[in-house]
Amino acid sequence: MNPTTLTNPTSPTTVPTPQESTMDAVVLERQHEIRVRPVPGLRPVGPGEVRIGVHTVGICGSDVHYFTHGRIGPYVVEAPMVLGHEASGTVLEVGEGVTHLAVGDRVCMEPGIPNPRSRASRLGMYNVDPDVQFWATPPVHGCLQPEILHPADFTYRLPEQLSLEEGALIEPFAVAVHAATKARIAPGDVVAVVGAGTIGVLTAVAAAASGASRVYISDVAPEKFAQVEAYPTIHPVDATRQDLGEVVREATDGWGADVVFEASGSPRVFGSLWEVPAPGGTVVLVGIPVDPVPLDIAAAQARELRIETVFRYANSYQRAIELAASPAVDLKALISATYPFEEAVAAFERGAEGRSTDTKIQIRVAGA
């Protein structure tokens, strides 16, 4: 019987045979089945690469979706796949030509590796490079294992102000920073955020830190707002009792929000989304609906709204790190629970529960 092929240039390539060196990893075998089991050890570090001891990995909604549904759009789990893409760790070895990192550096890793020669990369939009290899996106392996190899150019040293746990939150925070950058927030802007999941909360935090005078964030689960209580400029809106558009218009003398972030991905919000921004305002679509949703283009045109879309991030990691290290941001407050590596299955089962009080569940990788 041939071994099952698993593709990723910086991770194991096959299910191990007994004579190979191995390490344990968190593997999605198929839909609804996760195991912690051996995978092959790493090949030698190559030029321009670093070998990293993984410390902390966050569980993303996409990880949970692959676990519960076995697919996200065109990306289908057809073979066993190591999970995880939100990671931090410590440099164990540097390859030839690497000068900006050293053994012992605490780092976080950008999980999407583009083709540097692609047109998208040369235009600075490497996040939409069709050839991008993104951790834990089938058939590419993730990083939930004790060690990984990674390009040094996509590995970032953490400042002393940030813990390794916070370093593992840089990946989702980079999405929020990318969204805030595309929104072109100006000092004093009024901002609204639809959805208080991890990305919604981080987007509200990024908007507040980017100069917004007030940020209104809505959700149908008001218990989620505990994560933003420490931010005086962020104002929760309980969507079970209040309409976000009405709240914002009342606070702005009927004008509306300068910037609106849609971060829920829920198809239900699009019917009234265009009522929240001010004329000439900006709508940034951050959440990704599972299925197509209707858009009232005429309503957007009548108010001459600018519409931006976000897919992951590009050239945002260093900016996210700098902002996270500033007094304006407290990422550690968003960590709901940390599980040891050997309890990774329980961590994913909790993630699949979708507890409204959870923002970010992390796994501490053994041996890091």
Side-chain angles (χ1 to χ4, degrees):
M1 180 176 178
N2 293 328
T4 303
T5 298
L6 302 171
T7 61
N8 186 329
T10 61
S11 289
T13 56
T14 59
V15 174
T17 56
Q19 69 269 24
E20 294 175 324
S21 64
T22 63
M23 59 182 169
D24 281 347
V26 179
V27 180
L28 177 61
E29 304 286 2
R30 58 187 62 83
Q31 184 182 358
H32 304 311
E33 183 183 345
I34 293 175
R35 286 198 298 151
V36 180
R37 54 94 161 164
V39 298
L42 302 178
R43 58 169 173 76
V45 63
E49 292 182 333
V50 286
R51 183 166 63 92
I52 300 165
V54 179
H55 184 276
T56 300
V57 177
I59 295 179
C60 176
S62 65
D63 295 316
V64 174
H65 209 79
Y66 286 126
F67 173 42
T68 57
H69 292 79
R71 66 183 300 154
I72 298 177
Y75 301 104
V76 181
V77 178
E78 296 178 337
M81 177 181 75
V82 178
L83 290 165
H85 64 262
E86 303 176 3
S88 66
T90 303
V91 175
L92 302 177
E93 184 181 0
V94 299
E96 180 184 350
V98 177
T99 58
H100 70 287
L101 295 170
V103 172
D105 282 348
R106 300 177 318 118
V107 294
C108 61
M109 296 76 82
E110 186 170 349
I113 309 304
N115 175 358
R117 294 174 295 279
S118 73
R119 185 168 182 173
S121 294
R122 292 180 179 183
L123 290 172
M125 304 184 298
Y126 60 83
N127 55 320
V128 295
D129 174 13
D131 295 330
V132 70
Q133 299 284 300
F134 198 92
W135 278 346
T137 301
V140 180
H141 272 318
C143 59
L144 257 169
Q145 55 192 47
E147 295 183 8
I148 54 101
L149 297 175
H150 202 58
D153 287 344
F154 290 86
T155 303
Y156 300 82
R157 185 185 296 110
L158 291 172
E160 61 181 14
Q161 297 97 318
L162 293 179
S163 67
L164 283 162
E165 290 77 13
E166 291 169 300
L169 271 163
I170 294 299
E171 196 280 334
F173 193 46
V175 177
V177 170
H178 186 56
T181 302
K182 295 199 76 171
R184 305 176 200 164
I185 295 172
D189 274 354
V190 175
V191 171
V193 179
V194 181
T198 301
I199 296 299
V201 167
L202 288 170
T203 299
V205 169
S210 298
S213 60
R214 285 169 287 167
V215 180
Y216 297 89
I217 182 169
S218 69
D219 203 281
V220 295
E223 53 269 28
K224 293 182 179 180
F225 299 138
Q227 309 301 331
V228 296
E229 289 177 350
Y231 296 90
T233 58
I234 301 179
H235 306 279
V237 177
D238 183 351
T240 64
R241 300 186 300 107
Q242 300 170 286
D243 179 83
L244 177 62
E246 291 179 0
V247 170
V248 171
R249 286 190 294 276
E250 182 177 351
T252 57
D253 295 325
W255 185 242
D258 300 293
V259 176
V260 177
F261 295 95
E262 201 305 294
S264 72
S266 171
R268 295 189 299 272
V269 309
F270 286 88
S272 59
L273 184 64
W274 310 127
E275 301 172 7
V276 184
T282 299
V283 175
V284 184
L285 304 178
V286 188
I288 302 178
V290 174
D291 297 308
V293 298
L295 293 179
D296 190 341
I297 301 300
Q301 287 177 314
R303 309 182 80 180
E304 205 163 271
L305 302 177
R306 179 169 62 91
I307 301 173
E308 294 279 359
T309 60
V310 167
F311 184 67
R312 297 172 181 159
Y313 36 74
N315 303 305
S316 298
Y317 241 71
Q318 190 61 51
R319 188 173 301 183
I321 291 169
E322 298 294 342
L323 191 58
S326 76
V329 174
D330 180 14
L331 292 185
K332 62 180 175 293
L334 305 182
I335 302 171
S336 304
T338 301
Y339 283 73
F341 185 73
E342 59 270 18
E343 296 179 18
V345 175
F348 274 92
E349 289 174 344
R350 174 167 169 174
E353 291 177 24
R355 299 182 190 180
S356 58
T357 52
D358 283 345
T359 299
K360 180 55 61 179
I361 297 170
Q362 295 185 330
I363 296 172
R364 177 75 59 82
V365 180

